[in-house]
Amino acid sequence: MARLIAAVEPANCERLAKVLLDEFQSIGRIWSAAPEALCRILGDVSPVVSLIIGAREAALETMAGDLRAIAIDPFSPELRRYLIASMGSLDDETLRILFLDNSRRLIADERLQQGTLSQLALYPRTIFRRALEHNAAGLILVHNHPSGDPSPSEEDIVATRHLDQCSSSEHSAQLAA
């Protein structure tokens, strides 16, 4: 981290790297930290914030490009790394949807909804409308747990079942209307 920071703050690179690591506990959490969190630690005008955000955006675009080149398995390590890097340290629950074509290749990756620290509202009509707009053949829905506990809550299970029911052919036509 210090070597990266040295590109824009050579005199303070060791100190700034230590401050970031003390706050975020790992390089992975620094990479996925919100810009506001980085500014809170480093200051609003720190060139290090712009460097980290720019490097993260380049890395995520590289990872997304790699995903577009393969048939996506929802359990693939590449997908897991991409999702953790892009949303692992978000402060609020966020719903991401990966829209897939017939070959399970990535068409689009969108953040559709944002909730609170512990709750996220799902709107099936919005989800399926976007799927129709993308002409998607499949969806992968993902949301984070800011608490750090990856176990699905009862609400997660109920919402997943509801979305599954909505996606059946007889309900899909009603939602699209």
Side-chain angles (χ1 to χ4, degrees), residues 67 70-84 98 100 104 139-142 160:
L67 287 176
I70 62 171
I72 295 179
D73 173 357
F75 302 103
S76 76
E78 297 88 358
L79 178 60
R80 181 178 168 84
R81 281 192 295 273
Y82 170 68
L83 293 169
I84 289 171
L98 305 178
L100 308 177
R104 294 189 348 245
L139 305 172
I140 297 176
L141 283 77
V142 181
T160 301

Side-chain angles (χ1 to χ4, degrees), residues 62-138:
T62 299
M63 294 169 90
D66 291 345
L67 287 176
R68 284 185 182 92
I70 62 171
I72 295 179
D73 173 357
F75 302 103
S76 76
E78 297 88 358
L79 178 60
R80 181 178 168 84
R81 281 192 295 273
Y82 170 68
L83 293 169
I84 289 171
S86 62
M87 61 191 302
S89 290
L90 297 176
D91 292 331
D92 295 319
E93 284 201 24
T94 301
L95 174 67
R96 291 270 289 283
I97 302 183
L98 305 178
F99 299 93
L100 308 177
D101 67 13
N102 284 335
S103 300
R104 294 189 348 245
R105 296 197 193 288
L106 185 63
I107 298 170
D109 171 5
E110 297 181 3
R111 287 186 191 188
L112 278 192
Q113 294 160 232
Q114 189 163 335
T116 65
L117 176 63
S118 62
Q119 193 171 21
L120 178 70
L122 292 178
Y123 301 103
R125 185 178 305 252
T126 303
I127 293 167
F128 293 114
R129 182 181 309 123
R130 290 299 294 149
L132 289 170
E133 290 169 356
H134 284 296
N135 197 27

